[in-house]
Amino acid sequence: MNMLEVDGVGHTYQGKDGAYTAIDGLSFTVGMGELVCVVGPSGCGKSTLLRSIAGLLRPSRGTVSLHGNRVDGVPSDLSVVFQDYSRSLFPWLSVTRNVEFPLRRLSRSERSTRAGEALDAVGLGGAGKKYPWQLSGGMQQRVAIARALAYRPALLLMDEPFASVDAQTRFELEDLLLRVRREQDTTVLLVTHDIDESVYLGDRVLVLSKSPACVVADLDVPLGSSRDQITTRASEQFVELRARVAGMLQGGPVTVR
Amino acid sequence: MNRLSGVAQRWVVLVVAVGVWELVTRAARSGDTSISFFFPPPSEIAGAAGRLWFSSAFGDHIVPGVSRMLGGWALAGVIGVALGVLLGRSRGAMAYLGAVFNFLRSIPPPLLVPFFVASVGATSMQLPTIVFGAIWPVLLNTVDGARSVDATKVDTARVFRLSRSQWLVGVVLPSALPKVFAGLRLSLSISLILMVISELVGSANGIGNQLVLAQRDYEPADMWAWIVLLGVLGYLFNTLLLAFERRALAWQPRHSLEAQAIATGG
């Protein structure tokens, strides 16, 4: 069953110096429980696509459906992890309160149970009383991931979630994401400009063209469910896939399967 | 020991200045000039202060004066913050009202005393004068703070489908809080100034009222005692507000709080 259906989505911004089409004719689906990476050159309209799916932006053309319901405004069972964790978290709330914040509709005890579970899942069980600024960047992004997970979304959108942390932390967070989605069976759509990351994380990789973006290729990533930063990245399949994606992003010969 | 030397450092200039003042004014006494009449030695001022502050004047004049000041300031604060949050997040409101607000704020508030005397009456115009003068820094700072909520927080709030009250109270207000406090501190000193000025004119009681009476009675020590009281009150309330601000903004990293205090002259 498809969790997400994107059908012919395009968006044109009306600016002072004329119209600018960021994305055009984008169509793809994401199945339940899948982790799909969207990779594209910077400035190709990835964020516009993500905002359209999240219901933060009404696209000029096409439709987005989340488990069969047309997206018109932000769906109640969708969550987003933004790139800029320091701005996305609320600095005046402790880590626990940040995670609990979107759960206002639940009872107090249920809120704290869920927040505790989510923080344990991202390895921050002991940091609940701290304030975000007392944590490193990578840990802050873990808080943002915990907040999104505690919300129990049907679809988790991630907008370049690991682009603002150092390489070592990025590897840790990538493995954390793989582990957590395996444990919780979350459907994830992750937008990135990092080719290696898209291949390492994704069950599928959607390659976008330059702006106005459309889907150039939809690649399966047959690397299995248990991946490892060292052996997976060194495997022949990984190297071959990343070369194909890189070739497509550089506008080389396109081979669509 | 460190704490003690810190206190000593803070007060040494004041103590020395008062000591010098005492010596100079006592020496001037022998010269018998009008200067020595208007500048009584600090010891005499202290005597007058001890006599006046703790007499029936406390309940008759100090309490009413301070109540006006704090009441006007609180009223200005509540209205200013509530209005500021709403206007700051409304799309077009400040485009229409910005110029009007800046015009009204530019009017030196004491100049409104004659107007309020004429329209409200000399005995009850103190509170409206204080509120009108003190509201602008809070209002405009809150608007500024409410506007500065970054785009990522706006998106985050939308993604988690916050209710309007959750958004305004839970996100916009805390985002604006550092600026709100900067505004509240400015308003507090304006409230003190307007309290005295409005009491100088026609008020039946209050600190300003007593100041004028002491002037008319040619009691310079009494005048100085009231002036000193105003300084003490200003210092005291500012210190209390600063302590409260530190607690309310404890979530901020320390360095940014200090930078802000310097920037706003706190």
Side-chain angles (χ1 to χ4, degrees), chain A residues 54-56 71-78 151, chain B residues 155 158-161:
Chain A
L56 291 168
V71 170
D72 184 23
V74 182
S76 63
D77 50 359
L78 177 137
Y151 197 63
Chain B
D155 280 350
R158 285 181 65 197
V159 163
F160 291 123
R161 291 159 52 110

Side-chain angles (χ1 to χ4, degrees), chain A residues 11 13 23 48-49 51-59, chain B residues 158:
Chain A
H11 190 72
Y13 291 100
I23 52 176
T48 305
L49 170 64
R51 292 175 64 83
S52 302
I53 296 171
L56 291 168
L57 177 98
R58 187 189 295 262
Chain B
R158 285 181 65 197

Side-chain angles (χ1 to χ4, degrees), chain B residues 64-77:
Chain B
V66 170
S67 313
R68 277 180 196 124
M69 171 196 166
L70 292 181
W73 175 67
L75 214 57

Side-chain angles (χ1 to χ4, degrees), chain A residues 51 56 74 76 79-80 82 87-89 91-92 101-102 104-105 133 147, chain B residues 150 152-153 155-156 158-162 166 170-171 174-175 251-253:
Chain A
R51 292 175 64 83
L56 291 168
V74 182
S76 63
S79 185
V80 183
F82 295 96
R87 285 170 192 267
S88 177
L89 295 176
W92 51 85
F101 192 71
R104 291 278 161 103
R105 289 169 192 87
W133 60 271
R147 181 173 67 181
Chain B
D150 56 78
T152 309
K153 283 198 186 59
D155 280 350
T156 303
R158 285 181 65 197
V159 163
F160 291 123
R161 291 159 52 110
L162 299 187
Q166 238 187 324
V171 182
S175 300
W251 51 268
Q252 277 197 324

Side-chain angles (χ1 to χ4, degrees), chain B residues 207-232:
Chain B
I207 298 167
N209 163 274
Q210 290 300 295
L211 188 56
V212 175
L213 289 185
Q215 175 222 328
R216 285 180 190 154
D217 291 346
Y218 280 95
E219 295 285 359
D222 289 10
M223 281 174 67
W224 279 104
W226 293 118
I227 291 166
V228 169
L229 178 64
L230 293 169
V232 169

